[in-house]
Amino acid sequence: MDMQQKNTYFDTYNNNTHRIGRICVILILLILLAAPFAMGLVVGAAPDLKAFAMGFMSIAVIYIPSCIVEFLIYTPMLGAGGSYLAFITGNLINMKIPCAVNAREMTGAKVGTPENEIISTLSIATSSLVTTLVIAVGVLLIIPLQPILSSPALQPAFNNVIAALFGAMAYRYFRGGMKIAALPLITMTLLCVLVPSVISSVSFLIIPSGAMAIGIAFLIHKNQQKKELK
Amino acid sequence: MEFNISQLNAPGLFLICGAIILAVMAVCVLFMVRAWRAGIAIGMDRKKLKRTITASATFTLIPSISILLGVIALSGTLGTPLPWLRLSVIGALHYEASVADIAARNIGMTGLNATEMTATAYTTIALLMTVGIIWGMVCMVLFGKRYCNRLQRPKESGKSGAGFGDLAMKAMFIGLISAYIGSYIGGFVSLPAHDYMPLIVMAVSACAMAVFLYFVEKKKISWLDNFSMAGSMLVSMAAAVVVGLIV
């Protein structure tokens, strides 16, 4: 196959990747959105749409920009096929990106080339299949442990999953970002101490807290740009 | 009707989640086969393609176990099927746990916990966890082709445009964590229950993360980083059990 044929073949492959990718993503989206309602039939209760709307307002401000930023940053690294798969299967930062980058470095493929597209897709597909299988086997093994996991002695652990998560995340994010963290952290602490009624509305506190942090980050970014120009 | 947490492990839920996971696996196989055939067709070395698959499989094995630990961490409050689905498809541990908590608070619970869980809370949490994270997929459907094609064109300037995006994402999470830390301190200082447990758990988790990062960064044991998040969570959750038994 000469270069001309290779390019023509690859253009067709790429167009089909987008077509198949879009169809697959739409189908997966539909079944994912239907799943909570199907689960409702099993447990005997539909989702509370009013609570859903309230919750969505809180998470949208954080996670929609986050998803868009991930799309903008990671798509160039992963190529078309890799991106469709990675956004379907998730765990981008902690697994799919390092895995694809590792495969690319190992094979010497350059970003934006047909080789990178192939390597990246193969790498992410393999990674997704292995993860899914490992989790499935693990889930089968933990089913017999369910009575232990739901014992009263373990409830303090499961009632504090979020604190456990944010403790670890706080160390990771704050140690390099105290300039960004100081103001929202002090403000939120003072607010919750002085006006305890807002504690139950922490999902709304995320909005001003996130806005403050992004504002400070923007100022830091601008200052860095100015320094670089000088 | 009294709700029992064991209802969240009903066979029907396993069936629903298992079917979706199977569909996603089928998509992975489809993309894998297409990429393999295209690689051969454009003249790539078979050995290189095989090495990519083998290396990716081995690279993924250890981080997969850390994701499994995340499923275990969430299974006490959400049952096993939902965390299994969420962490196999689209999800990531830090996202799933925080969104589940936001959903729980909006439905009238004091936070994500097993003791207050109801069937309505469960399905609402499941819906919110799904809708909150689908936007990467939506972007791919709406703009994926145009964006990829644009990236293949030569750049007009040296600017990447991604500089602030990365910092903004970090800032968003800092804002999120700050709001939660504030609420835990406020809950301890100002509420009648003086609940100290979240603060203890948070402190232990942060210390555990510091230890993990010490070994990753100073001792260069980089594979340990794959376990840092789930490992820190499990250590601090174990601390909560110990404190609960002592007090």
Side-chain angles (χ1 to χ4, degrees), chain A residues 178-218:
Chain A
M178 267 324 282
K179 277 184 191 171
I180 301 173
L183 184 64
L185 186 59
I186 293 168
T187 311
M188 289 301 125
T189 303
L190 285 177
L191 188 65
C192 291
V193 169
L194 300 174
V195 192
S197 58
V198 300
I199 293 171
S200 57
S201 309
V202 69
S203 53
F204 283 104
L205 294 182
I206 293 166
I207 300 168
S209 183
M212 247 185 271
I214 291 172
I216 296 162
F218 185 72

mmCIF file of all heavy atoms in Angstrom, chain A residues 178-218:
data_model
loop_
_atom_site.group_PDB
_atom_site.id
_atom_site.type_symbol
_atom_site.label_atom_id
_atom_site.label_comp_id
_atom_site.label_asym_id
_atom_site.label_seq_id
_atom_site.Cartn_x
_atom_site.Cartn_y
_atom_site.Cartn_z
ATOM 1 N N MET A 178 -2.351 25.694 47.624
ATOM 2 C CA MET A 178 -2.857 26.386 48.813
ATOM 3 C C MET A 178 -3.259 27.830 48.511
ATOM 4 O O MET A 178 -4.147 28.375 49.143
ATOM 5 C CB MET A 178 -1.823 26.346 49.956
ATOM 6 C CG MET A 178 -2.003 25.184 50.926
ATOM 7 S SD MET A 178 -3.691 24.677 51.308
ATOM 8 C CE MET A 178 -4.206 25.916 52.470
ATOM 9 N N LYS A 179 -2.597 28.431 47.496
ATOM 10 C CA LYS A 179 -2.966 29.809 47.121
ATOM 11 C C LYS A 179 -4.422 29.833 46.639
ATOM 12 O O LYS A 179 -5.156 30.769 46.907
ATOM 13 C CB LYS A 179 -2.061 30.297 45.987
ATOM 14 C CG LYS A 179 -0.732 30.830 46.454
ATOM 15 C CD LYS A 179 0.019 31.374 45.239
ATOM 16 C CE LYS A 179 1.453 31.686 45.591
ATOM 17 N NZ LYS A 179 2.240 31.999 44.398
ATOM 18 N N ILE A 180 -4.797 28.779 45.914
ATOM 19 C CA ILE A 180 -6.171 28.713 45.403
ATOM 20 C C ILE A 180 -7.125 28.308 46.527
ATOM 21 O O ILE A 180 -8.241 28.791 46.626
ATOM 22 C CB ILE A 180 -6.270 27.686 44.236
ATOM 23 C CG1 ILE A 180 -5.334 28.085 43.100
ATOM 24 C CG2 ILE A 180 -7.704 27.556 43.737
ATOM 25 C CD1 ILE A 180 -5.234 27.051 41.987
ATOM 26 N N ALA A 181 -6.651 27.422 47.410
ATOM 27 C CA ALA A 181 -7.549 26.814 48.405
ATOM 28 C C ALA A 181 -7.839 27.716 49.604
ATOM 29 O O ALA A 181 -8.926 27.626 50.186
ATOM 30 C CB ALA A 181 -6.939 25.505 48.894
ATOM 31 N N ALA A 182 -6.870 28.583 49.966
ATOM 32 C CA ALA A 182 -6.986 29.319 51.237
ATOM 33 C C ALA A 182 -8.312 30.072 51.385
ATOM 34 O O ALA A 182 -9.029 29.874 52.374
ATOM 35 C CB ALA A 182 -5.795 30.268 51.379
ATOM 36 N N LEU A 183 -8.650 30.909 50.401
ATOM 37 C CA LEU A 183 -9.838 31.759 50.546
ATOM 38 C C LEU A 183 -11.142 30.936 50.597
ATOM 39 O O LEU A 183 -11.931 31.109 51.537
ATOM 40 C CB LEU A 183 -9.884 32.813 49.426
ATOM 41 C CG LEU A 183 -11.038 33.810 49.546
ATOM 42 C CD1 LEU A 183 -10.902 34.663 50.803
ATOM 43 C CD2 LEU A 183 -11.105 34.720 48.317
ATOM 44 N N PRO A 184 -11.377 30.023 49.622
ATOM 45 C CA PRO A 184 -12.624 29.247 49.736
ATOM 46 C C PRO A 184 -12.693 28.409 51.014
ATOM 47 O O PRO A 184 -13.760 28.279 51.616
ATOM 48 C CB PRO A 184 -12.614 28.342 48.486
ATOM 49 C CG PRO A 184 -11.323 28.495 47.836
ATOM 50 C CD PRO A 184 -10.665 29.720 48.366
ATOM 51 N N LEU A 185 -11.548 27.877 51.440
ATOM 52 C CA LEU A 185 -11.537 27.035 52.644
ATOM 53 C C LEU A 185 -11.898 27.847 53.892
ATOM 54 O O LEU A 185 -12.758 27.441 54.688
ATOM 55 C CB LEU A 185 -10.149 26.396 52.801
ATOM 56 C CG LEU A 185 -9.990 25.367 53.912
ATOM 57 C CD1 LEU A 185 -10.953 24.213 53.736
ATOM 58 C CD2 LEU A 185 -8.560 24.834 53.945
ATOM 59 N N ILE A 186 -11.268 29.011 54.039
ATOM 60 C CA ILE A 186 -11.548 29.867 55.207
ATOM 61 C C ILE A 186 -13.001 30.362 55.156
ATOM 62 O O ILE A 186 -13.730 30.318 56.147
ATOM 63 C CB ILE A 186 -10.550 31.053 55.267
ATOM 64 C CG1 ILE A 186 -9.140 30.526 55.555
ATOM 65 C CG2 ILE A 186 -10.967 32.075 56.320
ATOM 66 C CD1 ILE A 186 -8.028 31.540 55.348
ATOM 67 N N THR A 187 -13.423 30.805 53.972
ATOM 68 C CA THR A 187 -14.782 31.348 53.841
ATOM 69 C C THR A 187 -15.832 30.282 54.174
ATOM 70 O O THR A 187 -16.776 30.532 54.926
ATOM 71 C CB THR A 187 -15.019 31.855 52.390
ATOM 72 O OG1 THR A 187 -13.927 32.672 52.025
ATOM 73 C CG2 THR A 187 -16.310 32.629 52.280
ATOM 74 N N MET A 188 -15.645 29.082 53.616
ATOM 75 C CA MET A 188 -16.634 28.015 53.833
ATOM 76 C C MET A 188 -16.646 27.575 55.298
ATOM 77 O O MET A 188 -17.704 27.309 55.859
ATOM 78 C CB MET A 188 -16.330 26.816 52.924
ATOM 79 C CG MET A 188 -16.596 27.058 51.469
ATOM 80 S SD MET A 188 -18.310 27.491 51.159
ATOM 81 C CE MET A 188 -18.117 29.035 50.296
ATOM 82 N N THR A 189 -15.461 27.516 55.910
ATOM 83 C CA THR A 189 -15.390 27.119 57.320
ATOM 84 C C THR A 189 -16.101 28.151 58.198
ATOM 85 O O THR A 189 -16.940 27.792 59.033
ATOM 86 C CB THR A 189 -13.918 26.967 57.755
ATOM 87 O OG1 THR A 189 -13.303 26.030 56.892
ATOM 88 C CG2 THR A 189 -13.802 26.473 59.188
ATOM 89 N N LEU A 190 -15.793 29.433 57.978
ATOM 90 C CA LEU A 190 -16.435 30.493 58.780
ATOM 91 C C LEU A 190 -17.948 30.479 58.578
ATOM 92 O O LEU A 190 -18.712 30.581 59.547
ATOM 93 C CB LEU A 190 -15.861 31.859 58.388
ATOM 94 C CG LEU A 190 -14.460 32.166 58.917
ATOM 95 C CD1 LEU A 190 -13.968 33.506 58.396
ATOM 96 C CD2 LEU A 190 -14.452 32.180 60.452
ATOM 97 N N LEU A 191 -18.348 30.324 57.331
ATOM 98 C CA LEU A 191 -19.786 30.312 57.017
ATOM 99 C C LEU A 191 -20.499 29.175 57.754
ATOM 100 O O LEU A 191 -21.546 29.371 58.367
ATOM 101 C CB LEU A 191 -19.968 30.169 55.496
ATOM 102 C CG LEU A 191 -21.381 30.324 54.953
ATOM 103 C CD1 LEU A 191 -21.894 31.747 55.191
ATOM 104 C CD2 LEU A 191 -21.404 30.028 53.451
ATOM 105 N N CYS A 192 -19.897 27.974 57.707
ATOM 106 C CA CYS A 192 -20.537 26.809 58.332
ATOM 107 C C CYS A 192 -20.502 26.888 59.861
ATOM 108 O O CYS A 192 -21.410 26.392 60.527
ATOM 109 C CB CYS A 192 -19.875 25.510 57.858
ATOM 110 S SG CYS A 192 -20.197 25.177 56.139
ATOM 111 N N VAL A 193 -19.453 27.509 60.408
ATOM 112 C CA VAL A 193 -19.367 27.645 61.869
ATOM 113 C C VAL A 193 -20.357 28.707 62.362
ATOM 114 O O VAL A 193 -21.072 28.505 63.347
ATOM 115 C CB VAL A 193 -17.919 28.000 62.298
ATOM 116 C CG1 VAL A 193 -17.863 28.418 63.759
ATOM 117 C CG2 VAL A 193 -16.994 26.810 62.058
ATOM 118 N N LEU A 194 -20.422 29.833 61.646
ATOM 119 C CA LEU A 194 -21.264 30.952 62.100
ATOM 120 C C LEU A 194 -22.737 30.782 61.720
ATOM 121 O O LEU A 194 -23.617 31.267 62.414
ATOM 122 C CB LEU A 194 -20.727 32.275 61.543
ATOM 123 C CG LEU A 194 -19.291 32.629 61.964
ATOM 124 C CD1 LEU A 194 -18.804 33.876 61.245
ATOM 125 C CD2 LEU A 194 -19.205 32.819 63.474
ATOM 126 N N VAL A 195 -22.986 30.115 60.580
ATOM 127 C CA VAL A 195 -24.383 29.900 60.134
ATOM 128 C C VAL A 195 -24.593 28.391 59.936
ATOM 129 O O VAL A 195 -24.612 27.894 58.812
ATOM 130 C CB VAL A 195 -24.680 30.659 58.804
ATOM 131 C CG1 VAL A 195 -26.174 30.678 58.506
ATOM 132 C CG2 VAL A 195 -24.099 32.041 58.798
ATOM 133 N N PRO A 196 -24.748 27.630 61.036
ATOM 134 C CA PRO A 196 -24.799 26.160 60.914
ATOM 135 C C PRO A 196 -25.946 25.628 60.044
ATOM 136 O O PRO A 196 -25.852 24.512 59.537
ATOM 137 C CB PRO A 196 -24.985 25.686 62.365
ATOM 138 C CG PRO A 196 -24.798 26.857 63.230
ATOM 139 C CD PRO A 196 -24.854 28.094 62.417
ATOM 140 N N SER A 197 -26.968 26.461 59.822
ATOM 141 C CA SER A 197 -28.097 25.987 59.005
ATOM 142 C C SER A 197 -27.670 25.696 57.560
ATOM 143 O O SER A 197 -28.336 24.939 56.850
ATOM 144 C CB SER A 197 -29.228 27.010 59.016
ATOM 145 O OG SER A 197 -28.744 28.245 58.538
ATOM 146 N N VAL A 198 -26.537 26.293 57.119
ATOM 147 C CA VAL A 198 -26.109 26.053 55.721
ATOM 148 C C VAL A 198 -25.397 24.702 55.557
ATOM 149 O O VAL A 198 -25.184 24.248 54.435
ATOM 150 C CB VAL A 198 -25.183 27.178 55.177
ATOM 151 C CG1 VAL A 198 -25.875 28.523 55.187
ATOM 152 C CG2 VAL A 198 -23.863 27.227 55.934
ATOM 153 N N ILE A 199 -25.076 24.066 56.680
ATOM 154 C CA ILE A 199 -24.307 22.802 56.588
ATOM 155 C C ILE A 199 -25.081 21.741 55.803
ATOM 156 O O ILE A 199 -24.505 21.004 55.006
ATOM 157 C CB ILE A 199 -23.937 22.291 57.995
ATOM 158 C CG1 ILE A 199 -22.940 23.274 58.633
ATOM 159 C CG2 ILE A 199 -23.340 20.882 57.952
ATOM 160 C CD1 ILE A 199 -22.654 23.014 60.094
ATOM 161 N N SER A 200 -26.395 21.731 55.991
ATOM 162 C CA SER A 200 -27.194 20.718 55.282
ATOM 163 C C SER A 200 -27.291 21.033 53.786
ATOM 164 O O SER A 200 -27.739 20.202 53.002
ATOM 165 C CB SER A 200 -28.590 20.633 55.893
ATOM 166 O OG SER A 200 -29.194 21.898 55.834
ATOM 167 N N SER A 201 -26.889 22.259 53.392
ATOM 168 C CA SER A 201 -26.957 22.638 51.966
ATOM 169 C C SER A 201 -25.564 22.689 51.351
ATOM 170 O O SER A 201 -25.275 23.549 50.520
ATOM 171 C CB SER A 201 -27.617 24.012 51.822
ATOM 172 O OG SER A 201 -28.824 24.047 52.516
ATOM 173 N N VAL A 202 -24.719 21.768 51.773
ATOM 174 C CA VAL A 202 -23.328 21.812 51.291
ATOM 175 C C VAL A 202 -23.253 21.692 49.770
ATOM 176 O O VAL A 202 -22.357 22.248 49.135
ATOM 177 C CB VAL A 202 -22.461 20.745 52.001
ATOM 178 C CG1 VAL A 202 -22.834 19.355 51.591
ATOM 179 C CG2 VAL A 202 -20.984 20.993 51.769
ATOM 180 N N SER A 203 -24.242 21.018 49.169
ATOM 181 C CA SER A 203 -24.203 20.877 47.712
ATOM 182 C C SER A 203 -24.356 22.231 47.015
ATOM 183 O O SER A 203 -23.916 22.406 45.887
ATOM 184 C CB SER A 203 -25.264 19.896 47.238
ATOM 185 O OG SER A 203 -26.523 20.249 47.737
ATOM 186 N N PHE A 204 -25.002 23.203 47.712
ATOM 187 C CA PHE A 204 -25.099 24.553 47.137
ATOM 188 C C PHE A 204 -23.855 25.384 47.457
ATOM 189 O O PHE A 204 -23.505 26.278 46.704
ATOM 190 C CB PHE A 204 -26.362 25.263 47.633
ATOM 191 C CG PHE A 204 -27.596 24.767 46.936
ATOM 192 C CD1 PHE A 204 -28.468 23.906 47.576
ATOM 193 C CD2 PHE A 204 -27.868 25.117 45.622
ATOM 194 C CE1 PHE A 204 -29.586 23.415 46.923
ATOM 195 C CE2 PHE A 204 -28.984 24.631 44.957
ATOM 196 C CZ PHE A 204 -29.852 23.772 45.608
ATOM 197 N N LEU A 205 -23.226 25.065 48.573
ATOM 198 C CA LEU A 205 -22.006 25.804 48.937
ATOM 199 C C LEU A 205 -20.892 25.562 47.915
ATOM 200 O O LEU A 205 -19.971 26.362 47.775
ATOM 201 C CB LEU A 205 -21.517 25.376 50.327
ATOM 202 C CG LEU A 205 -22.412 25.726 51.517
ATOM 203 C CD1 LEU A 205 -21.764 25.279 52.811
ATOM 204 C CD2 LEU A 205 -22.684 27.223 51.560
ATOM 205 N N ILE A 206 -20.996 24.420 47.237
ATOM 206 C CA ILE A 206 -19.988 24.088 46.224
ATOM 207 C C ILE A 206 -19.928 25.179 45.148
ATOM 208 O O ILE A 206 -18.860 25.489 44.621
ATOM 209 C CB ILE A 206 -20.325 22.722 45.566
ATOM 210 C CG1 ILE A 206 -20.176 21.612 46.587
ATOM 211 C CG2 ILE A 206 -19.472 22.455 44.360
ATOM 212 C CD1 ILE A 206 -20.804 20.300 46.135
ATOM 213 N N ILE A 207 -21.088 25.780 44.846
ATOM 214 C CA ILE A 207 -21.150 26.756 43.747
ATOM 215 C C ILE A 207 -20.290 27.991 44.059
ATOM 216 O O ILE A 207 -19.361 28.290 43.307
ATOM 217 C CB ILE A 207 -22.621 27.123 43.409
ATOM 218 C CG1 ILE A 207 -23.361 25.852 42.979
ATOM 219 C CG2 ILE A 207 -22.698 28.195 42.328
ATOM 220 C CD1 ILE A 207 -24.865 25.986 42.889
ATOM 221 N N PRO A 208 -20.549 28.712 45.201
ATOM 222 C CA PRO A 208 -19.673 29.870 45.471
ATOM 223 C C PRO A 208 -18.228 29.455 45.749
ATOM 224 O O PRO A 208 -17.294 30.168 45.354
ATOM 225 C CB PRO A 208 -20.301 30.516 46.716
ATOM 226 C CG PRO A 208 -21.185 29.483 47.314
ATOM 227 C CD PRO A 208 -21.630 28.604 46.188
ATOM 228 N N SER A 209 -18.065 28.295 46.393
ATOM 229 C CA SER A 209 -16.717 27.840 46.710
ATOM 230 C C SER A 209 -15.929 27.556 45.424
ATOM 231 O O SER A 209 -14.779 27.984 45.274
ATOM 232 C CB SER A 209 -16.804 26.582 47.580
ATOM 233 O OG SER A 209 -15.540 26.170 47.961
ATOM 234 N N GLY A 210 -16.559 26.862 44.498
ATOM 235 C CA GLY A 210 -15.929 26.545 43.213
ATOM 236 C C GLY A 210 -15.650 27.817 42.416
ATOM 237 O O GLY A 210 -14.587 27.974 41.815
ATOM 238 N N ALA A 211 -16.619 28.753 42.445
ATOM 239 C CA ALA A 211 -16.463 30.006 41.690
ATOM 240 C C ALA A 211 -15.273 30.798 42.240
ATOM 241 O O ALA A 211 -14.467 31.346 41.474
ATOM 242 C CB ALA A 211 -17.740 30.830 41.779
ATOM 243 N N MET A 212 -15.167 30.833 43.595
ATOM 244 C CA MET A 212 -14.046 31.541 44.220
ATOM 245 C C MET A 212 -12.709 30.931 43.780
ATOM 246 O O MET A 212 -11.774 31.638 43.392
ATOM 247 C CB MET A 212 -14.158 31.383 45.747
ATOM 248 C CG MET A 212 -14.448 32.659 46.482
ATOM 249 S SD MET A 212 -14.410 32.340 48.256
ATOM 250 C CE MET A 212 -16.076 31.878 48.559
ATOM 251 N N ALA A 213 -12.643 29.596 43.854
ATOM 252 C CA ALA A 213 -11.401 28.893 43.519
ATOM 253 C C ALA A 213 -11.017 29.139 42.061
ATOM 254 O O ALA A 213 -9.844 29.399 41.751
ATOM 255 C CB ALA A 213 -11.557 27.399 43.791
ATOM 256 N N ILE A 214 -12.011 29.088 41.160
ATOM 257 C CA ILE A 214 -11.719 29.295 39.731
ATOM 258 C C ILE A 214 -11.270 30.740 39.490
ATOM 259 O O ILE A 214 -10.344 30.995 38.721
ATOM 260 C CB ILE A 214 -12.936 28.926 38.856
ATOM 261 C CG1 ILE A 214 -13.149 27.410 38.917
ATOM 262 C CG2 ILE A 214 -12.745 29.362 37.411
ATOM 263 C CD1 ILE A 214 -14.415 26.928 38.260
ATOM 264 N N GLY A 215 -11.922 31.683 40.174
ATOM 265 C CA GLY A 215 -11.548 33.098 40.043
ATOM 266 C C GLY A 215 -10.096 33.316 40.451
ATOM 267 O O GLY A 215 -9.333 33.979 39.744
ATOM 268 N N ILE A 216 -9.721 32.727 41.603
ATOM 269 C CA ILE A 216 -8.334 32.891 42.078
ATOM 270 C C ILE A 216 -7.363 32.212 41.101
ATOM 271 O O ILE A 216 -6.303 32.761 40.772
ATOM 272 C CB ILE A 216 -8.179 32.309 43.503
ATOM 273 C CG1 ILE A 216 -9.052 33.105 44.476
ATOM 274 C CG2 ILE A 216 -6.727 32.333 43.961
ATOM 275 C CD1 ILE A 216 -9.313 32.397 45.780
ATOM 276 N N ALA A 217 -7.747 31.023 40.630
ATOM 277 C CA ALA A 217 -6.893 30.305 39.671
ATOM 278 C C ALA A 217 -6.687 31.126 38.409
ATOM 279 O O ALA A 217 -5.586 31.167 37.851
ATOM 280 C CB ALA A 217 -7.525 28.954 39.326
ATOM 281 N N PHE A 218 -7.751 31.820 37.989
ATOM 282 C CA PHE A 218 -7.656 32.652 36.780
ATOM 283 C C PHE A 218 -6.661 33.797 36.991
ATOM 284 O O PHE A 218 -5.837 34.087 36.120
ATOM 285 C CB PHE A 218 -9.039 33.190 36.406
ATOM 286 C CG PHE A 218 -9.045 33.961 35.114
ATOM 287 C CD1 PHE A 218 -8.893 33.297 33.903
ATOM 288 C CD2 PHE A 218 -9.178 35.339 35.101
ATOM 289 C CE1 PHE A 218 -8.879 33.993 32.703
ATOM 290 C CE2 PHE A 218 -9.160 36.044 33.906
ATOM 291 C CZ PHE A 218 -9.012 35.372 32.709
#
